[in-house]
Amino acid sequence: MPDPTDYSDLIEADRVHRTLYTDEQIFRTEMNKIYGGTWTYLAHASELSKPYSFVRRTLGLRPVIVTKDRNGQFHGVLNRCTHRGATVCRDESGTARRFTCPYHNWSFDNTGALVGVPMEEGYGPDFDKSKLGLGKLRVAEYRGFIFGTLNSELPDLETHLGHAARRLDEWMDRWPGGRISVRHGQHKLICNGNWKLVNDNSADGYHPGFSHASLLRMRKDRYGGGVDMQWVLGNVDEGLQTVADLGNGHTFLDQRREIERYWDQSAPMPGEDSYVETLRTRMGEKAEAALDMVMGSGMNLNIFPNLLIIGNQIQVIVPRALARTDLIWYSTSIEADDIPPEINSLRMRLQEDFPSFGEPDDLANFEECQSGLSVPEMEWLVVSRHRTTGKEYVDEHGHTTGPVTDELPIRAFWAEWQKWMTSTTKLVAQ
Ligand code: FES
Ligand SMILES: [Fe+2]
């Protein structure tokens, strides 16, 4: 294996080395330097709707709990008892004023303060509970998206998101006055592949017409036309879709300029005719704009390192081991007085579609990449597409942009990865 001290032997302009996906030491470093070093997505505020709500999550491999206190403030604490290290919260979600460690019953309030120690006098007169609260993350929220870090030197979240925040605004503000909420329940997929294979795919406009050919064919055969994904067939470089490097590792795939009418380009859904009839009768002309909210947003927005906005959904990458990743899809609803429940029912039907029929194609590719990358004699992967074809340009916001099959997002990812992997910033729990 080449010298990994600054990773420049592994990451070149046109190619990256296979060990980035297969080396245990690199994986462990990523889990400590990238996850926790940069702002990392943890949860959505709508999952923590009540006072004292909590969800159990991870920051890299660190177990964490995201909580909401009685004043509505969010907190991130390390799920690691300050006594002898056990996790104090073992439920996925719920409401709790306190977390009581099952081992010896030390208990912590939902901001992490140690509030109870059985037979406390046994620790002597100098025992100071105020110094033994749960480790704390720095937590920040951008319009419902809650991120955490252990890096006190990072700029504030909105600065860090930069132009990605504007794209997130566009994603959230499709319906005037509407709010996006994350539905409880998740579609969890387990991948026997490295977490970065998912990032490589998240703005890959090169693969859909090939990888998802069976899905496209099935829809065409059953429903005729298959118009819903017509923009992924043929020479997509000749179309209007683009990918862009938004800075700080965030990238964007934009299909919107090829979408003439969202509803007309939607995939077929079970029972849609009766929903549509009801909505058109009840809402008149306004039904058409509401139906457009059913269809995916036409955007893939990738927030480094673990948050992917795909269509109407949120996908979170949860690394578990070098070659084991959980992919968690959260469906979203629109909350607005003038959005009828049928719209959210249809959104749910549509959001069941791709994770069930499309994502398995991607998962199979991730696992087969992991298998192929285990071959030591074949060392490199190609990431050069459109780097030198003259098709990239700088857009009005100053972001490098290219045709939809450009491997620019992968190159942007590796540049940000290298920045964090070589960072010497000391991470600390507050
Ligand atoms: S390890 Fe938590 S109370 Fe002992
Ligand atoms: Fe795909």
Side-chain angles (χ1 to χ4, degrees), residues 163-411:
H163 200 74
R166 304 290 80 77
R167 296 304 191 194
L168 207 46
D169 291 342
E170 289 165 16
W171 183 74
M172 287 189 274
D173 296 335
R174 289 175 68 211
W175 186 260
R179 277 195 316 119
I180 294 289
S181 71
V182 170
R183 302 288 295 221
H184 284 277
Q186 310 158 0
H187 193 125
K188 180 168 157 186
L189 302 164
I190 294 169
C191 170
N192 290 314
N194 184 262
W195 67 279
K196 299 185 294 301
L197 294 165
V198 186
N199 293 76
D200 289 351
N201 179 260
S202 58
D204 178 341
Y206 194 20
H207 81 286
F210 312 109
S211 289
H212 304 302
S214 60
L215 173 63
L216 303 178
R217 212 177 305 117
M218 181 271 285
R219 283 188 187 148
K220 191 169 163 42
D221 292 349
R222 280 201 196 167
Y223 303 99
V227 290
D228 58 291
M229 289 180 86
Q230 96 269 359
W231 59 79
V232 299
L233 297 170
N235 186 347
V236 287
D237 276 349
E238 288 171 357
L240 300 172
Q241 300 174 56
T242 52
V243 290
D245 172 359
L246 304 181
N248 291 346
H250 315 315
T251 55
F252 187 58
L253 187 156
D254 196 352
Q255 298 177 317
R256 292 174 295 179
R257 282 198 292 158
E258 286 192 4
I259 301 175
E260 282 160 21
R261 167 86 212 273
Y262 278 83
W263 174 248
D264 292 346
Q265 285 174 260
S266 181
M269 281 160 274
E272 67 179 65
D273 292 345
S274 67
Y275 281 118
V276 172
E277 204 182 300
T278 307
L279 287 164
R280 285 188 173 144
T281 307
R282 197 189 311 150
M283 296 179 79
E285 272 180 16
K286 210 173 177 201
E288 305 311 314
L291 283 168
D292 283 348
M293 294 302 106
V294 172
M295 164 74 184
S297 57
M299 307 178 215
N300 282 27
L301 173 63
N302 311 306
I303 312 267
F304 185 92
N306 68 332
L307 171 63
L308 313 176
I309 306 286
I310 302 177
N312 284 339
Q313 284 161 284
I314 295 172
Q315 190 187 59
V316 182
I317 299 173
V318 183
R320 297 289 188 198
L322 175 64
R324 161 77 199 264
T325 306
D326 292 349
L327 301 183
I328 306 189
W329 289 76
Y330 296 89
S331 52
T332 64
S333 297
I334 304 181
E335 287 179 19
D337 292 342
D338 52 354
I339 282 285
E342 287 85 354
I343 292 296
N344 283 323
S345 300
L346 279 168
R347 279 172 72 102
M348 287 299 286
R349 294 292 81 76
L350 190 62
Q351 292 177 89
E352 285 157 3
D353 180 84
F354 195 79
S356 305
F357 300 111
E359 189 73 11
D361 301 327
D362 293 321
L363 275 184
N365 283 329
F366 304 155
E367 296 191 351
E368 294 302 322
C369 283
Q370 193 71 35
S371 171
L373 290 168
S374 70
V375 177
E377 294 78 16
M378 299 295 290
E379 297 186 69
W380 296 94
L381 298 76
V382 175
V383 296
S384 62
R385 195 172 164 79
H386 281 308
R387 193 173 79 82
T388 56
T389 57
K391 296 240 171 97
E392 289 183 347
Y393 59 94
V394 176
D395 74 4
E396 69 273 27
H397 307 291
H399 301 132
T400 304
T401 302
V404 73
T405 71
D406 195 342
E407 282 161 344
L408 164 74
I410 299 179
R411 297 189 292 272

